[in-house]
Amino acid sequence: MSKVFVNIGLSLDGYMAPEGMTMGKPEFKNWGAKWGAMMAWLMGQQYFRENVLKFGPGGETGPVNDLVRSTFERIGANIMGKRMFDQGEVAWPEEAPFHTSVYVLTHEPREPWVRPGGTTFYFVNDGPQRALELAREAAGSRDIRIAGGADVIQQYLSLGVVDELEIALAPVLFGAGRRLFEHLREPAPQFRIDRVLDGPAATHVRYVRQ
């Protein structure tokens, strides 16, 4: 059976996104520089540049690049929240960087949005469990990534369906923003450390549900 996993970057003080993050205004509260510092480890990786961003050949190789490849190759479907989609809709290139079906949790009805390169956004009005059912159907034997934002990840953690957390912990401090681990139901899910990979710009930790 396919697994449900979270794969995200995280600041040293536990934030997924800096305060004031609004696409089109990267200077607002300096969020663009903060987010860029947190995700710098990813932007230079060969697999991400060539296969996700479609920037052409080039980029860093090595253990972190291999980790990025294995993560993206396992994804059969993505789930995200409306806030993440709204920001991405104005910022993603025409060939959106998912190349799978993407299920967007929203209260607003909308027809599917088909993009070049294999990405289709489906808008789910029936809650996170229904989105997960649809994602499982689409993913087949591959895995389902809960892409974000923080509130959506928290919903799936509270439902107890997240099998793995893959966190790239970057040595940057945001001071404020959207925290990953808030508003979780009790009892909170329990995880164990499965793997640690030290990179030059982030420490990559995989946690597996006990």
Side-chain angles (χ1 to χ4, degrees):
M1 187 175 181
S2 61
K3 294 182 178 179
V4 178
F5 76 104
V6 171
N7 170 258
I8 50 120
L10 199 66
S11 73
L12 194 59
D13 48 351
Y15 294 99
M16 275 187 62
E19 185 180 16
M21 188 170 180
T22 304
M23 291 302 176
K25 297 181 180 179
E27 72 284 355
F28 183 63
K29 296 192 176 183
N30 204 33
W31 78 257
K34 292 178 179 178
W35 189 87
M38 183 178 73
M39 300 305 297
W41 68 270
L42 176 61
M43 297 305 174
Q45 301 304 315
Q46 182 187 60
Y47 185 87
F48 190 71
R49 294 177 65 83
E50 292 183 357
N51 297 279
V52 181
L53 298 179
K54 306 294 185 181
F55 280 174
E60 300 173 22
T61 60
V64 176
N65 185 64
D66 294 342
L67 174 64
V68 172
R69 178 188 293 109
S70 65
T71 293
F72 278 91
E73 288 181 347
R74 69 187 285 201
I75 300 172
N78 284 271
I79 297 174
M80 71 176 58
K82 182 65 160 49
R83 181 189 293 270
M84 181 176 177
F85 172 80
D86 286 345
Q87 301 229 20
E89 187 176 15
V90 301
W92 292 319
E94 184 179 13
E95 188 170 324
F98 298 98
H99 314 293
T100 70
S101 297
V102 181
Y103 296 89
V104 181
L105 296 175
T106 177
H107 298 295
E108 301 174 10
R110 177 171 170 175
E111 292 299 312
W113 189 39
V114 181
R115 310 308 296 148
T119 300
T120 300
F121 293 94
Y122 298 93
F123 301 90
V124 182
N125 308 134
D126 302 323
Q129 290 175 311
R130 178 55 178 160
L132 182 56
E133 291 173 3
L134 294 170
R136 286 196 190 280
E137 292 174 8
S141 61
R142 297 169 72 190
D143 296 333
I144 299 144
R145 179 190 178 213
I146 311 299
D151 58 340
V152 170
I153 293 172
Q154 290 158 15
Q155 288 181 58
Y156 283 101
L157 284 170
S158 291
L159 286 171
V161 296
V162 175
D163 298 302
E164 298 176 5
L165 295 169
E166 293 184 354
I167 296 175
L169 187 63
V172 298
L173 298 171
F174 286 177
R178 293 187 171 272
R179 288 191 181 275
L180 175 59
F181 297 114
E182 286 188 330
H183 314 301
L184 297 180
R185 295 179 187 170
E186 292 290 346
Q190 301 297 307
F191 293 87
R192 61 174 176 83
I193 296 174
D194 179 65
R195 181 190 62 203
V196 180
L197 173 63
D198 293 327
T203 299
H204 306 269
V205 186
R206 174 187 285 171
Y207 300 90
V208 175
R209 187 173 61 177
Q210 291 184 340

